[in-house]
Amino acid sequence: MNQYIQEAIELSFQGQRAGLGGPFGAVIVKDGVIIGRGHNRVTSSHDPTAHAEIVAIREACTYLGTHQLSGCELYTSCEPCPMCLGAIFWARPDRVYYACTHEQASDAGFDDSFIYEQVALPPSERGLPMIHLPTEGAQAAFDEWKRNEAKIHY
């Protein structure tokens, strides 16, 4: 079995057994070396974004000194949730490997189907009220960004 997916699975056990969060683990690998590790820390850190993949992405990016993970692979104990999937796309690793499916996570009580449904709706139809407030001056930040020749591109 792949040593990196095995490490992610082991992290999923470590985190939950220590009472730090749910049963999820992830590692990020570059050139055969693990540069980021994470297990779920949502409940212990009081941070709903502290999913295993996010924790591993933060550690790997800090290690590399960049905001992108080109040339890296992410191994995770479970198919990423919508939030993690978004972060993974932003981080741009070369590929993602996962052990369990989102259906298996749902069966264990981690059902993200409502998020997928909500994202597909127009903002005005979502269950969480989302109100567009066009405000004078807000566009100026984007205009300045477009003119900024020293910006670091995403």
Side-chain angles (χ1 to χ4, degrees):
M1 186 177 295
N2 182 294
Q3 70 187 47
Y4 305 122
I5 200 74
Q6 203 55 47
E7 175 74 13
I9 293 166
E10 182 56 35
L11 286 166
S12 75
F13 281 105
Q14 287 177 16
Q16 72 170 318
R17 288 175 179 164
L20 299 174
F24 302 94
V27 298
I28 297 174
V29 177
K30 184 172 179 76
D31 300 325
V33 177
I34 295 176
I35 61 167
R37 286 180 171 80
H39 57 73
N40 185 287
R41 298 171 183 263
V42 169
T43 56
S44 62
S45 67
H46 311 291
D47 179 357
T49 69
H51 289 201
E53 297 89 342
I54 303 293
V55 173
I57 287 169
R58 289 174 180 159
E59 187 173 291
C61 287
T62 298
Y63 176 84
L64 294 174
T66 183
H67 61 285
Q68 294 189 345
L69 297 175
S70 302
C72 297
E73 297 176 329
L74 189 150
Y75 294 81
T76 181
S77 64
C78 187
E79 184 178 356
C81 75
M83 177 186 68
C84 292
L85 187 59
I88 290 165
F89 274 108
W90 279 113
R92 295 184 175 91
D94 291 355
R95 63 190 46 82
V96 175
Y97 299 93
Y98 60 95
C100 293
T101 66
H102 72 270
E103 290 90 358
Q104 290 169 294
S106 178
D107 184 57
F110 300 94
D111 186 4
D112 296 326
S113 61
F114 71 96
I115 299 173
Y116 287 107
E117 293 165 4
Q118 291 292 302
V119 169
L121 295 172
S124 62
E125 295 178 23
R126 294 181 183 149
L128 175 64
M130 300 190 77
I131 300 99
H132 181 208
L133 290 176
T135 305
E136 188 174 328
Q139 178 64 40
F142 288 127
D143 295 339
E144 184 176 310
W145 176 259
K146 289 190 284 188
R147 292 188 305 272
N148 182 352
E149 293 183 19
K151 68 183 168 231
I152 297 172
H153 292 276
Y154 286 55

